[in-house]
């Protein structure tokens, strides 16, 4: 999920370089289709908004129509509010900043639920979450930290439930990412 730009795009590139067929999602169809065209025939776009339970269900259904097996789900979708990196206390940011909990945390749970229902019967698979050290320290405010800590806890507890099935769940802490937003923050000295 969240595979059309930045980290998600690079993850897709890495899998494709290893010969994998990769499905990428983005709520922006243009971005999703452009990335798929750039990455080649092994990159299949599924423009979807995974911010809702219905969107995650539609993603799982669209994938299952095309493939018999799911090897890896990378939960990477997130909502990055424009004020995310502003050095302000949470109550001085717009309330919409909490939307990261829906897109980053809830969508990861729901996507993983659908993935596990495909992977467990096949006896193999990996569910991965892209997280960060922001799960254990202050970074970008409470909503961001709660989302990252929540992803780590999802991976931990899903791994517990998945033991013995041939399916694993992991949370991967990423270092700082060079994204458009990170470059803006750097230029502002934030």
């Amino acid at each position: 999920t969240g595979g059309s730009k930045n980290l998600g795009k690079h993850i897709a590139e890495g899998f494709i370089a290893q010969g994998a067929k990769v499905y990428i999602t983005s709520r922006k169809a243009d971005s999703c289709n452009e990335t798929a065209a750039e990455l080649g025939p092994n990159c299949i776009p599924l423009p979807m908004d995974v911010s809702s339970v219905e969107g995650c269900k539609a993603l799982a259904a669209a994938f299952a129509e095309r493939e018999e097996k799911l090897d890896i789900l990378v939960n990477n979708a997130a909502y990055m509010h424009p004020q995310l990196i502003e050095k302000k206390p949470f109550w001085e940011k717009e309330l919409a900043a909490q939307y990261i909990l829906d897109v980053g945390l809830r969508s990861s749970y729901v996507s993983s639920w659908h993935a596990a229902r495909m992977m467990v019967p096949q006896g193999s698979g990996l569910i991965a979450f892209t997280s960060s050290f922001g799960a254990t320290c202050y970074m970008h405010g409470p909503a961001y930290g709660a989302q990252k800590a929540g992803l780590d806890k999802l991976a931990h507890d899903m791994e517990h439930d998945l033991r013995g099935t041939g399916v694993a769940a992991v949370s991967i802490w990423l270092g700082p990412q060079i994204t458009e937003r990170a470059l803006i923050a750097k230029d502002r000295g934030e």
Side-chain angles (χ1 to χ4, degrees):
T1 63
S4 71
K5 61 183 183 175
N6 298 322
L7 177 66
K9 179 180 177 182
H10 293 300
I11 291 170
E13 285 176 316
F15 281 122
I16 290 168
Q18 297 300 312
K21 184 191 300 184
V22 176
Y23 286 80
I24 61 168
T25 66
S26 174
R27 60 187 162 82
K28 296 179 181 174
D30 290 348
S31 176
C32 197
N33 293 328
E34 287 170 15
T35 297
E38 180 184 336
L39 297 184
N42 280 349
C43 186
I44 295 91
L46 289 177
M48 301 270 172
D49 183 354
V50 296
S51 66
S52 68
V53 171
E54 295 79 24
C56 292
K57 181 178 179 182
L59 170 60
F63 179 84
E65 282 178 16
R66 294 166 171 85
E67 301 293 334
E68 293 181 14
K69 186 177 180 196
L70 175 60
D71 295 311
I72 302 171
L73 167 66
V74 178
N75 287 298
N76 184 60
Y79 171 75
M80 299 300 176
H81 189 273
Q83 291 181 305
L84 175 72
I85 58 176
E86 289 183 13
K87 293 189 185 245
K88 293 181 177 179
F90 73 93
W91 65 90
E92 291 180 8
K93 296 179 183 182
E94 295 174 14
L95 184 58
Q98 59 76 35
Y99 196 47
I100 193 171
L101 298 170
D102 292 334
V103 180
L105 190 56
R106 183 176 55 197
S107 67
S108 292
Y109 180 90
V110 177
S111 294
S112 298
W113 183 86
H114 285 287
R117 294 172 67 90
M118 290 183 249
M119 292 174 172
V120 170
Q122 72 193 24
S124 65
L126 175 67
I127 298 171
F129 301 88
T130 58
S131 188
S132 87
F133 57 91
T136 61
C137 67
Y138 183 86
M139 181 182 287
H140 307 316
Y144 179 86
Q147 186 256 354
K148 294 304 182 186
L151 291 174
D152 291 351
K153 185 64 170 161
L154 284 179
H156 178 273
D157 290 0
M158 285 181 186
E159 185 280 327
H160 184 273
D161 285 353
L162 291 166
R163 283 183 197 159
T165 67
V167 181
V170 297
S171 180
I172 302 167
W173 281 15
L174 308 164
Q177 304 299 303
I178 299 173
T179 63
E180 293 172 27
R181 184 158 305 164
L183 294 173
I184 291 168
K186 179 181 172 241
D187 291 343
R188 290 183 189 166
E190 296 176 349

